[in-house]
Amino acid sequence: GKGTYPYYMLKEIDEQPAAIRRIIQEYQDDQGQLTIDSEIIAAMQASDRIYIIGAGTSMHAGLVGQALFEQLNGIPVEVHVASEFAYNMPLLTEKPFFIFLSQSGETADSRQVLVQVNELGYDSLTITNVKGSTLSREASYTLLLHVGPEIAVASTKAYTGQIAVMAVLADVLANAQGRKLDFDMETELSLVANAMETVVDDKDHLHEIATQIFTDVRNAFYIGRGLDYYVSCEAALKLKEISYIQTEGFAGGELKHGTISLIEDGTPVLAVISQKDTAAHTRGNLEETRARGANTVVITMEGMERQDDQIVIPAVHSLLAPLVTVVPTQLLAYYASLDRDLDVDKPRNLAKAVTVE
Ligand code: M6R
């Protein structure tokens, strides 16, 4: 049950630090080293490209996975929306490896792709929260999220769990490839869990910001670049899904190519800024919206913050920053929905598992 929580979503947001620690434990061997089934590692090592398939939030987690596998393993990755891939399959490389991301393991759009992948005879891995689910049974391999049941329609701990499991996978694969990483994944994931705890302890502050910027507005924007852009897409989905505020996640640099014409007095624009190489550019993009009346909010990391930044997360490894920067956006969405007296856990027109194509 949800215990003393008014909604499952809030409980599940709060469970994220423990979920990350659980993932570290579940994927540790007797010596305390991160470990993954050697068959999965061998299959990935033999592949020339990884195709990540998912829908909604799971697809957004895939975008972060792409950065992890490309940067830590040097394997090219493509991320695809399942419903598109199923009927517009791109040209595949010679040795593709498929990763299906699905909290429920029952998403029909993703399953439709898996059926085709099996017909073509390619190896696949399902990363899911549900043991014995359809996508798990039908794929060559499965890795479980171990984050506990997710009840709220809005996915939170499954997103961070999927990224954490892919981080472990990328780390073990890098070891097998003989690629020496300049950081210890286990240590960095523990730091992520601690940083998440700081964010979930900051609820009152985040509620205040949500009330300030989202009351009576009809649309909103999240912007970022690179990994921060991927988090912006997820943040926008979460906000629109449960508050019904029309929200777009945008690549900071793209705004000026059209969308900035939508900015009016009071339009909320939230920037995710955790990557050093693009921080100045995103700040510039945000400033352009502020000059046109936007109500701006910065979500950034310690060591990169400026005086008036409203949301500053503790410093974590830059590749893992999405695991932490997403948490305040989950809470902002939660409070926006709560302030509007909506049913946070059951937004209209939506089901937890979408079993039709
Ligand atoms: O169970 P899955 O991860 O396959 O579900 C995919 C999407 O339906 C899901 O992530 C959806 O986008 C969420 N409601 C978003 O919060």
Side-chain angles (χ1 to χ4, degrees):
K2 50 188 184 323
T4 57
Y5 284 94
Y7 286 102
Y8 279 104
M9 183 183 179
L10 193 62
K11 174 171 181 271
E12 290 161 3
I13 290 171
D14 266 4
E15 283 170 347
Q16 290 176 113
I20 299 300
R21 291 183 187 119
R22 178 92 195 271
I23 287 169
I24 299 172
Q25 267 178 19
E26 291 285 341
Y27 287 103
Q28 250 173 5
D29 64 16
D30 301 340
Q31 277 80 53
Q33 296 292 313
L34 292 177
T35 181
I36 296 279
D37 176 2
S38 59
E39 277 186 52
I40 298 174
I41 298 300
M44 289 180 78
Q45 263 190 288
S47 80
D48 61 359
R49 185 168 303 216
I50 299 168
Y51 293 82
I52 300 181
I53 311 293
T57 289
S58 292
M59 189 277 286
H60 292 154
L63 295 169
V64 179
Q66 170 172 34
L68 286 166
F69 296 126
E70 291 196 339
Q71 290 186 40
L72 302 184
N73 308 113
I75 305 175
V77 179
E78 289 179 26
V79 183
H80 291 272
V81 168
S83 58
E84 280 300 303
F85 194 96
Y87 297 97
N88 295 288
M89 196 181 285
L91 273 182
L92 302 179
T93 55
E94 238 169 81
K95 290 176 255 167
F97 182 80
F98 284 85
I99 298 181
F100 290 86
L101 294 177
S102 178
Q103 188 285 131
S104 63
E106 301 297 341
T107 297
D109 288 323
S110 302
R111 178 169 186 248
Q112 179 56 35
V113 179
L114 180 52
V115 167
Q116 294 180 43
V117 164
N118 283 340
E119 276 165 12
L120 293 165
Y122 295 128
D123 272 342
S124 57
L125 162 67
T126 289
I127 300 179
T128 182
N129 205 21
V130 183
K131 202 176 173 175
S133 56
T134 306
L135 283 158
S136 164
R137 289 195 315 271
E138 296 181 359
S140 326
Y141 312 104
T142 296
L143 291 175
L144 293 174
L145 296 182
H146 298 292
V147 300
E150 191 182 67
I151 310 294
V153 164
S155 181
T156 54
K157 63 179 179 174
Y159 172 83
T160 47
Q162 284 164 337
I163 295 171
V165 169
M166 286 188 285
V168 171
L169 181 55
D171 181 68
V172 176
L173 180 56
N175 261 329
Q177 291 172 311
R179 293 170 76 103
K180 190 94 195 78
L181 303 188
D182 61 3
F183 65 96
D184 181 58
M185 185 60 84
E186 213 180 299
T187 308
E188 296 303 328
L189 283 172
S190 302
L191 291 174
V192 159
N194 298 346
M196 283 172 156
E197 216 142 66
T198 306
V199 178
V200 299
D201 285 346
D202 201 24
K203 290 190 184 68
D204 293 343
H205 173 224
L206 292 165
H207 192 165
E208 246 168 62
I209 294 175
T211 306
Q212 253 169 42
I213 61 171
F214 294 134
T215 303
D216 293 333
V217 302
R218 299 195 45 186
N219 52 19
F221 295 89
Y222 270 97
I223 63 169
R225 289 171 179 242
L227 285 169
D228 293 330
Y229 167 47
Y230 303 155
V231 170
S232 296
C233 293
E234 170 55 13
L237 175 58
K238 209 89 317 167
L239 181 61
K240 74 180 99 170
E241 182 176 26
I242 59 172
S243 76
Y244 314 151
I245 299 169
Q246 182 165 10
T247 315
E248 282 188 69
F250 240 81
E254 267 298 285
L255 268 186
K256 60 181 173 299
H257 297 289
T259 309
I260 198 162
S261 69
L262 290 171
I263 304 297
E264 297 177 81
D265 233 20
T267 306
V269 181
L270 299 92
V272 183
I273 303 176
S274 72
Q275 306 294 310
K276 287 213 170 73
D277 53 337
T278 54
H281 276 111
T282 306
R283 285 187 186 277
N285 301 140
L286 189 67
E287 194 44 48
E288 286 155 21
T289 70
R290 213 175 63 84
R292 288 161 181 83
N295 229 340
T296 59
V297 172
V298 171
I299 301 171
T300 188
M301 197 152 82
E302 266 169 21
M304 306 177 60
E305 79 272 31
R306 293 206 190 154
Q307 190 153 33
D308 295 325
D309 290 350
Q310 296 89 333
I311 302 171
V312 183
I313 65 156
V316 294
H317 192 282
S318 61
L319 255 182
L320 302 178
L323 288 165
V324 188
T325 52
V326 78
V327 181
T329 76
Q330 297 167 341
L331 283 162
L332 290 173
Y334 174 81
Y335 288 117
S337 178
L338 199 71
D339 281 356
R340 288 172 185 232
D341 278 325
L342 298 171
D343 186 345
V344 178
D345 285 342
K346 291 196 180 70
R348 66 188 178 204
N349 310 337
L350 284 163
K352 180 63 182 162
V354 184
T355 53
V356 290
E357 273 185 60

